[in-house]
Amino acid sequence: MSANESLFTEAQKHIPGGVNSPVRAFKNVSGNPIFIKKAKGAYLTDADDKEYIDFIASWGPMILGHAHEPVVKAIQEQVLLGTSYGAPTELETKMAVLIKSMVANVDLIRMTSSGTEACMSALRVARGYTGKNKFIKFDGCYHGHADAFLVKGGSGMATLGIQTVAGVSEAVAADTLTAAYNNLEEVKQLAEKYRGEIAAIIVEPIAGNMGCILPVRGFIEGLRKICDEENIVLIFDEVMTGFRLAKGGAQQTLHVNADLVTYGKVIGAGLPVGAFGGKRHIMESVAPLGKVYQAGTLSGNPVAMIAGYTLLSELNSNPKIYDELAAKTTYLKNELETVFAEKNIPVCINQTGSMMSVHFTAGAVNNFEDAVACDNDLFKKYFHHMLIAGIYLPPSPYESWFLNNALSYTDLDKTIAASKNFTA
Ligand code: HOZ
């Protein structure tokens, strides 16, 4: 038995499914997950000492690669000063100032410990601010695992085929309205039907939890217009896109303003952090200024703050990184398109900046229904072929690939060469 196998066997005795987050279990792609021993730059090493080129980057935050030296050093220095105080630090204000300087439409920002908390809190703020209860989310979008969002979710829910989550009460789910991603007409109909009842529209401006799916022209702009007309708070879930697509995230690349924005792990360079922020008049609803209660001992944790501050400062002072990342990702996308075309394997590769995914289908993939219709069996085969070749892709067709800037063109060429050897 390999070290990976024996670690998984042992883990399953103590942890549900052997994992602390469902997608990691490789259930959809079958086989055993690999257990990571260490990571550096663009590479992961598993328990059997096999090295992989990593295309997950901890689901986004490792924009400059794993164990990035300035981040590691900053963490080491902070740890010696204590790991959690449950009291304010100057670092939290420095972080807020830095984020505000990088991102538009953030007047006030509150740190949380995860993207789930950030989205859950942003929704609560929208409800508290507007005095309305319902909200619209999109099929296949995923905003963390707070009850209200677990309706037609992407990510692990889509991967495991769980569309109705046990434990979410009907009463909670009743306030969650859903529409197809990229279908503005459905949103207009909901806005009309529930006029005066909708507090928020929450959207992944670039969807990354049903594979990578881009908004069609006019979709996000249309959401902005509906929100303005109907006094609805527009929330951009930028847990994946924030600081990854550009300094100012998807707000910047799409040229659309959100009212509230949520962030996740990238704010902590991969440490457990999230944040929600936005326009002053809305954020002033948050306690202790307003009556929307939200709290956390580990919110603004100094170790996470210094890690994130170090990463974001580097991105802020060197925006060339975004061009380099986009160039690498476009190169990979174009080469893979050629590889699959030569093999007569129909693919739709969606890409923007450093996010992309390979959907095995002849058509366009613009929403969850399109993603579900793709050839999942072929994805499984490709995933395992690549894994054997030392390329670590997301173990689900419903997850985006995230490129990091430690990846070299040699790494990309190895990835392309491995794909050339794939037989359907
Ligand atoms: N839900 C995460 C990706 N969309 C996966 C989390 C994890 O397994 O780490």
Side-chain angles (χ1 to χ4, degrees):
M1 202 188 261
S2 72
N4 282 315
E5 283 164 353
S6 76
L7 286 174
F8 190 43
T9 304
E10 185 63 15
Q12 287 174 94
K13 293 182 197 158
H14 312 289
I15 305 172
V19 289
N20 280 312
S21 189
V23 177
R24 299 177 197 172
F26 279 29
K27 246 189 145 171
N28 172 70
V29 288
S30 315
N32 282 340
I34 57 167
F35 278 60
I36 306 302
K37 194 153 86 176
K38 60 180 183 183
K40 180 72 189 159
Y43 311 113
L44 302 172
T45 306
D46 76 7
D48 288 299
D49 286 321
K50 177 168 173 163
E51 196 170 84
Y52 301 83
I53 301 172
D54 180 25
F55 284 95
I56 299 183
S58 187
W59 306 100
M62 301 307 173
I63 298 174
L64 300 179
H66 293 278
H68 185 57
E69 264 156 41
V71 173
V72 171
K73 189 165 173 285
I75 292 172
Q76 285 170 334
E77 284 169 7
Q78 174 57 45
V79 164
L80 295 174
L81 304 175
T83 52
S84 175
Y85 313 125
T89 61
E90 184 188 1
L91 197 47
E92 292 159 74
T93 308
K94 280 175 75 178
M95 184 68 152
V97 170
L98 176 61
I99 291 172
K100 284 175 59 177
S101 75
M102 295 174 77
V103 176
N105 302 304
V106 173
D107 302 321
L108 293 172
I109 185 158
R110 172 63 63 81
M111 293 295 152
T112 62
S113 297
S114 68
T116 289
E117 277 183 61
C119 292
M120 171 185 98
S121 306
L123 176 62
R124 188 181 304 138
V125 171
R127 285 171 161 163
Y129 172 74
T130 59
K132 300 184 276 186
N133 287 334
K134 294 195 186 298
F135 75 99
I136 298 175
K137 77 171 281 290
F138 295 92
D139 303 348
C141 280
Y142 179 75
H143 308 289
H145 62 89
D147 286 8
F149 297 123
L150 295 181
V151 179
K152 296 192 181 170
S155 187
M157 289 177 65
T159 305
L160 299 174
I162 303 173
Q163 285 300 290
T164 306
V165 175
V168 174
S169 74
E170 279 173 27
V172 166
D175 281 331
T176 307
L177 308 172
T178 59
Y181 191 77
N182 276 327
N183 190 331
L184 207 51
E185 206 38 54
E186 279 189 24
V187 181
K188 282 183 190 157
Q189 284 166 13
L190 287 173
E192 208 174 292
K193 183 168 175 194
Y194 295 100
R195 177 154 290 140
E197 294 181 69
I198 301 173
I201 295 178
I202 185 166
V203 65
E204 292 178 69
I206 308 292
N209 283 291
M210 41 183 160
C212 179
I213 297 187
L214 312 187
V216 297
R217 186 183 281 251
F219 175 60
I220 300 291
E221 294 84 345
L223 296 182
R224 179 66 273 173
K225 189 160 177 279
I226 292 169
C227 287
D228 288 340
E229 287 167 358
E230 304 288 343
N231 183 31
I232 294 171
V233 174
L234 181 60
I235 307 173
F236 276 7
D237 176 342
E238 296 230 41
V239 166
M240 287 179 169
T241 52
F243 306 99
R244 166 164 279 280
L245 294 186
K247 281 207 279 189
Q251 284 198 103
Q252 181 182 327
T253 58
L254 299 175
H255 308 288
V256 179
N257 296 337
D259 298 312
L260 293 178
V261 193
T262 62
Y263 298 109
K265 43 226 160 204
V266 65
I267 300 272
L271 269 71
V273 197
F276 63 100
K279 295 184 176 154
R280 180 177 299 279
H281 59 283
I282 303 177
M283 286 299 287
E284 280 177 345
S285 312
V286 178
L289 291 179
K291 288 190 174 169
V292 178
Y293 193 73
Q294 184 279 336
T297 298
L298 293 175
S299 302
N301 173 271
V303 184
M305 288 296 100
I306 196 62
Y309 185 80
T310 308
L311 174 69
L312 297 190
S313 298
E314 190 164 339
L315 296 174
N316 192 32
S317 59
N318 188 5
K320 230 175 50 211
I321 290 166
Y322 292 107
D323 300 330
E324 289 168 7
L325 266 170
K328 287 177 188 175
T329 316
T330 307
Y331 173 76
L332 182 63
K333 171 204 153 101
N334 290 342
E335 293 297 316
L336 288 182
E337 275 175 349
T338 307
V339 167
F340 287 117
E342 280 166 1
K343 293 178 181 298
N344 287 320
I345 298 176
V347 284
C348 162
I349 305 184
N350 288 337
Q351 179 247 333
T352 184
S354 55
M355 288 172 68
M356 63 174 270
S357 53
V358 175
H359 301 271
F360 288 104
T361 177
V365 179
N366 288 326
N367 58 34
F368 187 52
E369 211 182 342
D370 296 338
V372 171
C374 295
D375 189 339
N376 197 15
D377 288 336
L378 194 53
F379 177 86
K380 278 184 205 176
K381 224 173 150 185
Y382 179 60
F383 169 82
H384 281 294
H385 168 82
M386 296 300 274
L387 194 69
I388 290 166
I391 318 287
Y392 192 60
L393 302 177
S396 163
Y398 302 108
E399 301 286 357
S400 179
W401 303 18
F402 297 98
L403 272 69
N404 68 77
N405 211 30
L407 284 161
S408 65
Y409 279 90
T410 308
D411 297 325
L412 300 180
D413 286 338
K414 279 187 192 159
T415 308
I416 293 154
S419 297
K420 276 189 186 152
N421 293 333
F422 174 59
T423 39

